Amino acid sequence: MISFLWYSGTGIAVSSAPFAQKVAETIVGPNVQNHSTKAGKVLAPTLEFLRQHAPFDRMSGAHLEFLAKHLRIGFYPKGTIVTQPVSGVARTLYIVKQGRVRGELEGGRRPTAGEVWELVPGECFPIGALLAHRAVAIKQRAVEDTFCFELDRDDFETLLLQSPVFSDFCARRLANLLDETLRGMQAGLVGELSRDVSLNTPLVNLIRRLPVTCTPDTSLALVAARLHGERVSAIVVTDSAGAPLGLFTTNDLLGVVAQGTALDRSIASVMSARLLMLPPRSVAHEAAMLMARHSVSHVCVVEHDRVVGVVAERDLFSMQRIGLVSLTRAIIQAPDLATLARLGRDVHRLIDQMLAQGAALGQFTQIIASLNDHIARRVITLCVAEEGTAPVPFTWIAFGSEGRQEQTLKTDQDNGILFDVPAGGDAEQVRAELLPLARSINEALDTCGYPLCWDNVMASNAACCLSGDEWRERFRLWIEHGTVEQLQAAGTYFDFRVVYGDELQASTLRRWLMQQTSAAPQFLQRLGESALRHQAPIGLERGAFAESVGEYATTLDLKRQGTALFVDGARLLALANDIAQTNTIERLRAAAQLGVVDASEVDAWCDAYSFLQLLRLRHQQALLREGRPINNHVDADGLSDLDRRILKESFRQARKLQRRIAGDFQLPSELLESE
């Protein structure tokens, strides 16, 4: 009998026997060594493997060679424990070379399909334990015969000091992987949109020339001559110290000429005194959002109260492509629903453009929500005009993803109405007057591409068209008597935001609501239980995400099994700690600022949530290009290795958030172990 493997601790190492060496070389290359000898001179196969995986693909040649020289190879037959908590402080970094390693839950309980936590070739463990000089938190076992590259902790710490890329990856694993997948997505689109600037570019880098300025008493005729002679689209009116007082654009000039305004009038009498100003270090995205919000096409760049430049919409987006500002303006001025429906489709084209421009993940859903808000406001305005006037003043509020400003391309309606009852009036009478208008608005939104809510969470539903007192009563019933099941369904109502109408009225309701929820521990416990009803899957084995029936039986629901976990957790933290924000990432950041959770934890949670949102957008864009209905169901087997890796890490972060919720709100531990 030929024996070519020997045990060392919990692992099995390749011996130096010729037969064993030949078998190992077939798996890991000719530089394989025994368990106690450093890597030899022939490093090419090891380097080739490392360069296929993050972060090694971005490390310098010298640092990568250091790593390869200090690796050894360990072999773990199927079922062998690689590392476990009882082994003490972690002393080895493992890089899976071939095979699979699975994490086991506490107590030895066999994980359900959706809880499988597997590491595949190219993945590293246990980085957190090595950084913290502690034991691993879970047991890791070889699922099949597995080879791992192994690095001693001393060499691991040396590499941390030497390689900024490796150090950054270990400190920000998820963010680092996320950057890599974004780079890949941008590369696929940048050729087509190469002339567009990055939305993360500082405004100072977009300023091509000194601003063209004039004094307030300059005549309109002279200003027109300067606009033409300088070949600019705007002139800034300044005082003697260079501080901006107003702005006058070529569009403004067309307007005053059409009105027959005398050209000898001073520019001060016709300029726009409403200036949009940003400092030089603000980025293009901020300028684009500001322009879109106010429907203007220029922003003054101001430093120390002096104007240093003007950034126009055409500086942000190539004129040959869809511009956020021009699209916003077209929506605001749309004459009918047919035009709005067509403009709504342009939002989809804008996403590809923004991906290539390097927009940050949070910017996508924020911009989509902003455009959707403009469409909703224009729809409401058109419907009110068709009625002649609104029966009574009302506030249109958005719930769910629109309330959180987190909409993707697949979004139905979640909205309601908030109104005041006139003195001596009756809520039922006001509601009866508003419901026909609400129905026409809901139907018009449906025409514009926002489907009617299947659960009837819409303003045309009498239960969602309420006075301030009625909304308070409805929230009070949920807070005091809502069951876990009821709160699971009602959660999105707590994310309301004004789209049209009186901001003050909604703010008053929000302040009252925060006072009630933060002082209701039993409500928070029930809400916590509802947040743990769905749990993050861990592994990506085929069929692990089965919906059990229908066409999506082998897919992952990126909303229910992904983003919703972070949304529910952030909502709970916000309602418990008097955090008024409704956006998920803003809620998490606010919780960190209050010291409720650790900032480093929040960074990872936000990165995980952002990746899941990005994956949803990318999946939905692909379906649109193929002419297929939009959904949130992705085939995990069809994802790239990098995406699968980030997806698994995102699910781990969701589990960490859920464990934090279970601990903070004293929820039964079995909630985290339910199938």
Side-chain angles (χ1 to χ4, degrees):
M1 181 176 70
I2 300 176
S3 173
F4 63 92
L5 299 172
W6 53 277
Y7 286 86
S8 174
T10 59
I12 306 175
V14 180
S15 78
S16 57
F19 181 67
Q21 190 76 10
K22 187 66 177 175
V23 172
E25 287 177 4
T26 303
I27 303 298
V28 296
N31 67 313
V32 65
Q33 302 294 306
N34 65 39
H35 208 281
S36 60
T37 306
K38 301 298 182 186
K41 297 180 180 179
V42 186
L43 301 176
T46 301
L47 291 170
E48 182 181 359
F49 170 81
L50 292 173
R51 288 190 180 111
Q52 296 174 19
H53 304 282
F56 316 115
D57 58 343
R58 292 184 292 107
M59 288 170 58
S60 70
H63 297 149
L64 199 60
E65 186 171 335
F66 171 89
L67 172 61
K69 283 181 177 179
H70 290 79
L71 290 174
R72 58 178 181 265
I73 190 73
F75 174 67
Y76 299 86
K78 179 180 179 180
T80 304
I81 295 174
V82 181
T83 184
Q84 57 186 330
V86 296
S87 299
V89 175
R91 303 199 60 82
T92 304
L93 173 72
Y94 300 89
I95 307 171
V96 180
K97 174 63 178 75
Q98 181 170 314
R100 292 178 296 150
V101 174
R102 175 178 296 176
E104 292 187 353
L105 302 172
E106 296 180 6
R109 181 176 70 81
R110 183 176 178 82
T112 64
E115 296 172 329
V116 177
W117 184 326
E118 286 190 356
L119 302 173
V120 295
E123 296 193 77
C124 313
F125 69 98
I127 292 176
L130 286 167
L131 291 174
H133 286 222
R134 59 168 173 78
V136 297
I138 64 171
K139 187 182 296 183
Q140 302 275 10
R141 189 188 301 272
V143 180
E144 57 191 49
D145 289 352
T146 298
F147 285 85
C148 291
F149 285 124
E150 300 175 0
L151 184 70
D152 286 336
R153 190 174 74 192
D154 290 345
D155 295 325
F156 169 80
E157 292 179 344
T158 299
L159 189 60
L160 283 177
L161 294 174
Q162 291 182 350
S163 172
V165 172
F166 185 68
S167 176
D168 185 54
F169 173 80
C170 292
R172 305 185 313 121
R173 293 190 296 281
L174 185 55
N176 219 289
L177 291 170
L178 199 51
D179 290 342
E180 185 159 334
T181 196
L182 268 175
R183 282 193 294 271
M185 292 173 66
Q186 286 176 238
L189 293 164
V190 74
E192 184 180 344
L193 300 165
S194 58
R195 286 183 293 171
D196 284 301
V197 301
S198 166
L199 286 178
N200 292 318
T201 300
L203 295 183
V204 67
N205 294 346
L206 300 180
I207 298 174
R208 306 300 181 205
R209 54 171 295 162
L210 292 173
V212 177
T213 63
C214 69
T215 58
D217 57 354
T218 305
S219 70
L220 184 55
L222 184 55
V223 166
R226 292 201 62 190
L227 287 172
H228 176 71
E230 299 278 1
R231 297 184 181 276
V232 293
S233 59
I235 189 169
V236 185
V237 183
T238 64
D239 63 16
S240 58
L245 301 174
L247 190 75
F248 190 78
T249 69
T250 51
N251 281 335
D252 296 331
L253 178 61
L254 292 174
V256 296
V257 170
Q259 295 169 10
T261 305
L263 295 181
D264 59 354
R265 287 183 59 177
S266 70
I267 191 66
S269 64
V270 292
M271 70 180 186
S272 171
R274 189 184 67 168
L275 283 173
L276 299 183
M277 295 181 286
L278 286 172
R281 294 190 179 277
S282 295
V283 296
H285 165 68
E286 296 175 74
M289 290 299 295
L290 196 60
M291 291 180 192
R293 190 174 301 121
H294 296 280
S295 189
V296 299
S297 54
H298 295 80
V299 167
C300 290
V301 183
V302 177
E303 186 172 32
H304 304 308
D305 295 326
R306 291 177 59 87
V307 61
V308 296
V310 176
V311 173
E313 177 192 359
R314 67 186 180 189
D315 298 319
L316 305 179
F317 299 97
S318 297
M319 296 303 289
Q320 294 83 1
R321 293 164 177 81
I322 298 174
L324 174 60
V325 180
S326 58
L327 179 56
T328 301
R329 186 181 296 115
I331 290 170
I332 293 173
Q333 298 173 354
D336 50 43
L337 296 180
T339 303
L340 281 174
R342 176 179 57 78
L343 293 171
R345 290 191 290 271
D346 284 346
V347 175
H348 303 164
R349 295 171 54 204
L350 186 63
I351 297 303
D352 276 344
Q353 179 177 303
M354 291 178 59
L355 281 170
Q357 291 167 342
L361 293 176
Q363 295 170 2
F364 295 115
T365 52
Q366 190 178 44
I367 286 178
I368 291 172
S370 175
L371 291 170
N372 288 345
D373 283 355
H374 284 301
I375 291 174
R377 281 193 282 269
R378 187 56 181 162
V379 165
I380 295 170
T381 300
L382 290 173
C383 289
V384 169
E386 187 174 342
E387 293 286 328
T389 183
V392 294
F394 67 93
T395 299
W396 189 272
I397 51 179
F399 305 116
S401 61
E402 188 177 3
R404 297 188 301 272
Q405 292 186 296
E406 294 168 355
Q407 290 174 299
T408 60
L409 301 183
K410 177 178 172 58
T411 179
D412 60 1
Q413 296 185 48
D414 287 312
N415 48 55
I417 281 179
L418 167 64
F419 62 83
D420 278 333
V421 180
D426 176 75
E428 286 294 342
Q429 181 181 352
V430 174
R431 186 166 25 258
E433 293 176 356
L434 284 172
L435 284 177
L437 174 62
R439 189 170 299 108
S440 67
I441 293 171
N442 286 143
E443 291 172 354
L445 287 169
D446 183 42
T447 301
C448 292
Y450 303 91
L452 300 173
C453 176
W454 65 272
D455 206 23
N456 204 21
V457 181
M458 293 184 294
S460 54
N461 177 0
C464 296
C465 181
L466 305 174
S467 69
D469 288 340
E470 289 173 327
W471 275 116
R472 277 184 278 274
E473 177 62 15
R474 193 172 189 194
F475 279 119
R476 187 190 64 77
L477 289 174
W478 278 324
I479 293 169
E480 295 181 3
H481 306 293
T483 64
V484 172
E485 290 76 14
Q486 289 170 335
L487 293 179
Q488 193 169 11
T492 57
Y493 285 94
F494 290 83
D495 304 337
F496 69 86
R497 180 177 61 87
V498 173
V499 172
Y500 172 98
D502 187 356
E503 292 275 358
L504 179 60
Q505 192 179 28
S507 297
T508 302
L509 178 61
R510 169 68 61 187
R511 285 196 298 271
W512 173 88
L513 180 61
M514 302 311 298
Q515 293 170 357
Q516 302 301 307
T517 58
S518 59
Q522 292 183 338
F523 160 75
L524 295 171
Q525 276 196 323
R526 295 194 302 273
L527 191 64
E529 288 186 39
S530 74
L532 300 185
R533 283 296 176 94
H534 295 300
Q535 295 175 27
I538 295 297
L540 296 176
E541 286 190 333
R542 185 153 186 83
F545 313 111
E547 296 286 338
S548 73
V549 294
E551 61 178 310
Y552 302 123
T554 59
T555 62
L556 167 67
D557 185 336
L558 289 172
K559 181 178 181 181
R560 186 177 67 83
Q561 296 173 284
T563 57
L565 309 179
F566 292 95
V567 168
D568 292 345
R571 179 189 298 123
L572 178 59
L573 291 173
L575 295 178
N577 295 283
D578 199 12
I579 295 171
Q581 288 92 329
T582 59
N583 179 268
T584 296
I585 288 179
E586 290 178 1
R587 281 171 162 173
L588 292 173
R589 298 282 187 212
Q593 290 177 354
L594 291 174
V596 176
V597 290
D598 184 79
S600 63
E601 283 186 308
V602 165
D603 286 342
W605 295 341
C606 291
D607 286 336
Y609 176 71
S610 294
F611 173 73
L612 292 169
Q613 285 284 66
L614 176 66
L615 204 56
R616 287 178 67 193
L617 272 173
R618 197 176 70 187
H619 171 67
Q620 292 170 6
Q621 284 287 86
L623 292 175
L624 276 173
R625 285 192 290 268
E626 296 168 7
R628 298 164 57 191
I630 297 177
N631 61 59
N632 292 307
H633 296 265
V634 66
D635 180 4
D637 291 333
L639 296 175
S640 69
D641 289 342
L642 178 60
D643 283 341
R644 288 166 62 87
R645 186 173 175 183
I646 304 174
L647 192 56
K648 286 189 289 186
E649 181 61 29
S650 297
F651 289 150
R652 291 191 193 107
Q653 294 302 328
R655 279 297 177 98
K656 289 181 180 179
L657 173 57
Q658 290 186 318
R659 284 198 295 271
R660 180 61 186 259
I661 287 171
D664 287 357
F665 294 93
Q666 301 178 344
L667 302 175
S669 59
E670 57 266 22
L671 287 174
L672 285 174
E673 299 179 358
S674 59
E675 297 191 22

